[in-house]
Amino acid sequence: MLGLPAEVVVAVIGGLYALLALLNPRAALYVIPPAMALGPELPLGSVSVRPEDLMLVVLVVGWLLRRAGTSRIPTPLDRPLVLYAAVGVIATLWGAAIGTANLWSTHPWSASGFHALKRIELVLLFFMLTDSVQTVDDARRLVYVFMASLAGLSAYSLTRFYDTGHIALGPEGTPIHEPGLAAMLNVGLALGFLVTSRRFATSVLFGGVLLGSLYVLPHSLGRNFIVATAAMLLLVGLSRKRVILLVLPVAWVIAPLVFPEHVVARIQSLRYAFVETPYTKTYGAGVNLAQRIEPSLYYLSQSLPTSPVFGWGLASVSLGSIDNEYALQLVTTGIVGFVVFGWMVVVLVRTTRAAHRTAQAAGSPVLPIIAGLQHCLVGYGLYSLFSPSISAARAGAFFFLILGLVAVVYRCVQEVAPDVKPVRKVLGRPEFDPRRLEGAWRSA
């Protein structure tokens, strides 16, 4: 840029961002999603960092200064997330003590200390987001920024596909197949607006986002994201809008007409999920789910007998070694960490479901948002069966951004119905009737 060294450019941009964070913290927060989606890795001494890592340091300092001596409005996810961060640190320190985790490594696959810091960073992102984004308009604006960032990543990866002639890739440092995650999440968010839309213009706009994301998705060659997105479409079609079911057979029929041969072969290789097939240049390695499960079982058989309580620590096993987020949580943080992880998931599901039911009954303007976030969480839950998800830096960043939005929407729904017991006190109780909130949004 202007012939200046990269270090100078980074320093100037960092200074401008620090000024923005000081003057308008919410606006500074809105810059995080584009940085997550489109930012390349930056060399910083012997390590590589992502732009949002540096930006979040600035935001955390400002947030702590603003939080000093003040109280915050809690959310149901606060305690599970604090414990999730704490157990990650404890497990990593324990792993360092028994020799399975390397606190001082700078390699991205084995840098246990940096992985623990990343987990703390993402949990802090949740708290900063829920403190900064307070209203329905703020939440909607952040969702639009998030969707635009994901669309930007999809568009960029498509240009990389035409450059390589083989695969859609993200910015420098992005894991392979990762653009498929952006496409999957945008499909889920767009579906939220489509299944609740009563306006033709809204249907056209988000229908375009849906189709564009579905077009980019196979170019990533990420079969885990293809399967998770297909399952998401099936579930949404069966439960919310039957017309969505037409997308799957139509996509299967027209795929050979719109995608290159090797992309079609990659999709069709899913037919051999339980058959051992040799590696080919056409579609790469076969799926063979039985073989994909074997590494997870192996590491579980090694870690649980030797360190069942806290596991081996974060980054004790490289993310590519275990193709299952649930098994990875158990190996790296043990039974205690897995229980905390399960508690976080249960609270998240209940909070999202309660917010959706209440918003639907009240005709709330946040209904499309919470519906879309639900779809994204379904996608995460499914794709976590085949790959590490929230333990990966970029995928984890998107996940915690979604968690923050869920908490904000939940709080917006709760605050607009002051005559009803807080949703967090009736989660899971069948006697709670959200129809009592009919008209609350209009009268508020």
Side-chain angles (χ1 to χ4, degrees):
M1 180 184 291
L2 302 178
L4 298 175
E7 294 80 2
V8 175
V9 174
V10 171
V12 171
I13 295 176
L16 293 174
Y17 184 77
L19 182 62
L20 177 63
L22 179 64
L23 298 177
N24 194 331
R26 188 179 299 113
L29 182 65
Y30 290 159
V31 184
I32 296 295
M36 289 178 175
L38 296 167
E41 289 191 347
L42 304 172
L44 188 65
S46 60
V47 299
S48 295
V49 298
R50 297 194 48 76
E52 70 268 19
D53 295 329
L54 303 176
M55 296 161 66
L56 284 171
V57 171
V58 177
L59 280 177
V60 166
V61 172
W63 174 69
L64 290 175
L65 292 175
R66 293 192 305 274
R67 295 290 314 140
T70 63
S71 59
R72 69 183 300 271
I73 303 174
T75 77
L77 287 163
D78 291 359
R79 290 181 180 177
L81 284 173
V82 169
L83 282 180
Y84 179 74
V87 78
V89 173
I90 294 172
T92 303
L93 293 175
W94 170 253
I98 64 175
T100 55
N102 189 344
L103 288 178
W104 314 115
S105 171
T106 58
H107 194 282
W109 293 355
S110 58
S112 298
F114 285 113
H115 278 251
L117 289 175
K118 187 68 178 183
R119 178 173 288 203
I120 295 173
E121 172 191 308
L122 294 179
V123 170
L124 287 174
L125 171 63
F126 169 86
F127 284 101
M128 288 187 292
L129 193 156
T130 52
D131 279 357
S132 301
V133 180
Q134 300 285 343
T135 67
V136 174
D137 288 339
D138 290 339
R140 186 187 296 111
R141 193 174 297 114
L142 183 57
V143 168
Y144 290 158
V145 170
F146 187 30
M147 294 185 72
S149 304
L150 296 173
L153 175 55
S154 294
Y156 175 83
S157 67
L158 198 58
T159 63
R160 293 289 304 276
F161 176 85
Y162 294 125
D163 289 340
T164 64
H166 179 68
I167 185 172
L169 297 171
E172 188 68 28
T174 303
I176 195 170
H177 308 311
E178 204 72 3
L181 173 62
M184 182 192 78
L185 294 178
N186 246 356
V187 167
L189 292 169
L191 281 173
F193 288 90
L194 286 174
V195 299
T196 59
S197 171
R198 296 182 181 179
R199 297 178 56 192
F200 178 74
T202 301
S203 298
V204 170
L205 174 61
F206 291 99
V209 174
L210 174 72
L211 294 177
S213 300
L214 289 176
Y215 177 72
V216 174
L217 175 60
H219 290 88
S220 72
L221 305 184
R223 288 175 294 202
N224 50 351
F225 298 116
I226 294 174
V227 170
T229 303
M232 180 205 303
L233 289 167
L234 179 63
L235 290 173
V236 173
L238 290 174
S239 62
R240 290 183 173 171
K241 203 162 189 174
R242 296 296 174 86
V243 70
I244 300 297
L245 293 174
L246 295 175
V247 174
L248 294 173
V250 170
W252 184 263
V253 170
I254 69 172
L257 304 176
V258 298
F259 296 119
E261 180 182 356
H262 72 282
V263 175
V264 176
R266 185 79 169 181
I267 299 172
Q268 294 178 344
S269 69
L270 292 168
R271 295 177 297 180
Y272 309 110
F274 300 99
V275 179
E276 185 173 354
T277 54
Y279 177 89
T280 67
K281 291 184 178 180
T282 306
Y283 62 78
V287 181
N288 200 347
L289 289 178
Q291 289 185 357
R292 296 285 292 271
I293 294 173
E294 286 179 3
S296 300
L297 297 178
Y298 169 77
Y299 282 108
L300 285 172
S301 68
Q302 297 296 309
S303 64
L304 289 181
T306 58
S307 181
V309 179
F310 288 113
W312 282 351
L314 301 182
S316 56
V317 179
S318 67
L319 297 180
S321 299
I322 299 181
D323 289 327
N324 185 294
E325 178 64 33
Y326 308 103
L328 186 63
Q329 291 282 341
L330 191 52
V331 169
T332 57
T333 59
I335 295 173
V336 173
F338 190 76
V339 169
V340 171
F341 173 72
W343 180 35
M344 181 180 72
V345 171
V346 169
V347 173
L348 174 62
V349 171
R350 289 182 173 181
T351 303
T352 310
R353 183 176 59 186
H356 182 271
R357 287 179 177 176
T358 307
Q360 186 176 43
S364 159
V366 300
L367 181 59
I369 298 176
I370 193 62
L373 295 174
Q374 274 188 323
H375 303 156
C376 290
L377 292 173
V378 168
Y380 261 103
L382 294 170
Y383 121 76
S384 295
L385 295 170
F386 313 110
S387 296
S389 54
I390 68 173
S391 294
R394 185 186 295 264
F398 290 158
F399 178 79
F400 280 89
L401 182 62
I402 291 171
L403 255 63
L405 284 166
V406 166
V408 169
V409 171
Y410 161 84
R411 193 164 56 197
C412 289
V413 170
Q414 179 178 305
E415 288 176 352
V416 84
D419 57 324
V420 180
K421 292 181 180 179
V423 177
R424 64 177 178 273
K425 294 184 180 179
V426 294
L427 288 172
R429 284 173 51 180
E431 66 269 20
F432 174 56
D433 185 3
R435 288 175 295 179
R436 289 183 297 165
L437 300 181
E438 186 67 44
W441 283 92
R442 299 180 181 86
S443 62

